[in-house]
Amino acid sequence: MSAGGEGASLLTCAWSALGEDPAALKRVPPGGEPALTSALNVPRLARDAVAAASLAAALWTDSLLPRGRPRAVHLDAGRIATAFTSERHLRLRGVSPDLWAPLSGFWEAADGWVRTHANYPHHRGRLLAALELATGAGPDELAARIRSAAARDIEHRVYAAGGIAAAVRPAGQGLADWGGPPDAPPLALTRLGPAPARFPGSPDATAAAPLRGLRVLDLTRVIAGPVATRTLALLGADVLRIDSPALPEMPVQHLDTGAGKRTALLDLSLPADERTFRRLLDGAHVVVTGYRPGALDRFGLEPAALAGGRPGIILARLSAWGNTGPWAQRRGFDSIVQAVSGIAMRESPDGVRPGVLPAQALDHAAGYLLAAGVLSALRRQQDEGSTWLLESSLAGIAAGLLQDPRPLLPPLKPGPPTVVVSPDGITTALPALAYDEGPEDWPFPARPWGADPPDWVLEPAAQP
């Protein structure tokens, strides 16, 4: 997978990109590949992403709470499989909710296929407006309109209108149109500027909550970013997710990825809310963003500005297409990246119709990798100081997955799902991350979207 040559594992590449000691990889045991059937090496992708986060957490814990022997990583194939398909195991008082909107999916065009994403109302509205369909149009009308046009034409029209649709590329074409480097590492860690060590660890930290005292400002949506911040919350961080009241999150999706985090709403067009946001930013040790590159720069989140105004902070940025190239400003989701990268046709059931990976694997892998990167950057900061920038993209992970040949293994037998039921009847996946003395479950279930005040649990000390 990218750096390190064809077939190099995601874990090896990510560990190298973070500048970590390869000898630490000996703590990761063999096995742990989940039962996720695919034409690509999705089992190793999932296993390696969880292993990277688990190993980084074990190393951080050892740095705070050393013991006689290093903490080992544990990989449970069943937990990893359930975690990577968590939305399928979600139940609301025994009922499985519908996760895909009627206008999201594959549609046959005049010369191929188009993949649309219309789960959010604003994306649905832009899709219909771009194709000159009525606001109440349904799947039949959308199918007829797409069938009458070329796939690339649909893509261009919808993206120009701010919607999300992509022409499905051939399996062999891969990410040629994306413009990003096919051999890019799955993570990039960059030193932004000098700063003293800022977070040496809390005296209240435990092996099960080694990030206690860390304040994480969560500016993410959908799956990948929320998985990253949920992982940091699992480890004891005070994670506060901020959303705009004008862009509601899908309730089911929020419940699936919101465990252990608090959630508040701020309208940054209002001066009072913007002041609150800047206060939260001043108190954060880590900021995690999941919006398009540049979308949040006006709020003081451009990397150079953040390094100059808040030295010592760690900025972790996740995007669909990366921060360079002609597609950098495009919106995208896991399903769209699968379509554009050629993965959808690699997963075709018959060589004609596009297919899908057995999980939203790009999203989930990106989330665990970003969490691993934050943990690695914390250790670097503890030793070296500095302000750090972490970056990853779904397209970069897709490029690596396409280079990873599927090994000849016997069919994997799925085990029973590993889930937990909260007191209010919400069934969600148990954590996949695991190491000696690590956490067994989330600190608390997902909170209702926007239910919390926009404050840190422990307010930061006043600056001199």
Side-chain angles (χ1 to χ4, degrees):
M1 176 172 283
S2 65
E6 183 174 306
S9 76
L10 175 69
L11 177 58
T12 301
C13 295
W15 211 241
S16 174
L18 292 172
E20 291 281 12
D21 182 357
L25 296 175
K26 295 178 182 178
R27 297 198 201 184
V28 179
E33 288 82 1
L36 297 171
T37 303
S38 171
L40 297 165
N41 203 348
V42 173
R44 184 161 77 163
L45 177 83
R47 178 257 191 201
D48 281 1
V50 172
S54 298
L55 179 57
L59 290 171
W60 171 251
T61 305
D62 282 350
S63 73
L64 293 182
L65 303 164
R67 62 176 194 171
R69 64 186 186 281
R71 289 173 173 83
V73 166
H74 305 287
L75 298 173
D76 184 317
R79 282 203 178 195
I80 295 172
T82 302
F84 265 65
T85 57
S86 56
E87 70 280 358
R88 301 179 199 169
H89 303 287
L90 180 70
R91 300 288 185 274
L92 304 180
R93 288 164 290 279
V95 177
S96 179
D98 188 3
L99 299 173
W100 288 98
L103 301 189
S104 294
F106 291 110
W107 309 90
E108 192 169 8
D111 60 349
W113 294 86
V114 169
R115 176 85 196 208
T116 60
H117 195 291
N119 284 6
Y120 289 99
H122 58 292
H123 290 151
R124 180 185 185 278
R126 293 168 186 171
L127 171 68
L128 294 175
L131 300 182
E132 300 178 340
L133 292 169
T135 56
D140 291 342
E141 293 94 333
L142 180 65
R145 185 57 50 88
I146 293 178
R147 198 180 301 116
S148 68
R152 298 292 183 105
D153 179 54
I154 296 291
E155 176 181 289
H156 295 321
R157 288 167 62 185
V158 174
Y159 268 109
I164 302 178
V168 176
R169 270 63 171 179
Q173 182 174 324
L175 285 158
D177 293 331
W178 164 48
D183 59 346
L187 275 174
L189 178 62
T190 305
R191 190 191 308 267
L192 289 178
R198 183 177 179 184
F199 183 68
S202 167
D204 298 324
T206 66
L211 291 183
R212 188 169 288 160
L214 185 79
R215 294 183 293 272
V216 178
L217 191 58
D218 178 0
L219 307 175
T220 69
R221 291 170 65 81
V222 198
I223 297 176
V227 165
T229 53
R230 183 185 64 181
T231 302
L232 300 176
L234 172 70
L235 297 169
D238 178 14
V239 179
L240 178 61
R241 172 169 165 167
I242 298 295
D243 284 280
S244 166
L247 293 174
E249 182 61 284
M250 291 181 288
V252 170
Q253 192 160 265
H254 177 70
L255 291 174
D256 183 37
T257 59
K261 301 186 283 188
R262 294 178 303 111
T263 163
L265 304 180
L266 289 175
D267 182 350
L268 299 187
S269 68
L270 302 176
D273 280 9
E274 185 177 0
R275 287 194 296 272
T276 298
F277 176 78
R278 295 192 182 281
R279 174 177 58 80
L280 294 172
L281 185 58
D282 285 340
H285 298 104
V286 176
V287 178
V288 184
T289 71
Y291 292 77
R292 287 177 299 141
L296 300 176
D297 286 359
R298 66 186 184 279
F299 303 117
L301 291 167
E302 194 275 326
L306 200 62
R310 296 169 179 83
I313 204 165
I314 294 170
L315 174 60
R317 299 201 303 180
L318 181 70
S319 62
W321 308 105
N323 297 298
T324 60
W327 284 48
Q329 297 301 312
R330 288 201 180 196
R331 297 170 175 86
F333 295 93
D334 184 306
S335 58
I336 299 298
V337 175
Q338 288 188 44
V340 171
S341 66
I343 288 175
M345 291 311 301
R346 286 286 295 270
E347 295 291 333
S348 171
D350 56 10
V352 178
R353 294 172 298 151
V356 296
L357 293 175
Q360 299 284 297
L362 308 180
D363 267 334
H364 285 274
Y368 287 108
L369 287 182
L370 210 65
V374 168
L375 288 156
S376 179
L378 284 170
R379 288 180 32 252
R380 293 281 291 272
Q381 190 183 67
Q382 183 173 250
D383 295 338
E384 307 169 26
S386 300
T387 304
W388 296 94
L389 170 66
L390 275 160
E391 296 177 291
S392 186
S393 72
L394 302 184
I397 293 171
L401 179 61
L402 285 162
Q403 294 178 38
D404 198 4
R406 185 84 170 99
L408 296 175
L409 295 174
L412 297 168
K413 295 181 179 180
T418 51
V419 297
V420 62
V421 183
S422 69
D424 54 358
I426 300 174
T427 304
T428 51
L430 280 166
L433 179 149
Y435 58 91
D436 288 348
E437 303 174 323
E440 290 293 326
D441 198 359
W442 313 109
F444 50 86
R447 304 267 299 144
W449 185 74
D452 297 293
D455 294 308
W456 297 115
V457 170
L458 296 176
E459 286 294 320
Q463 298 295 315

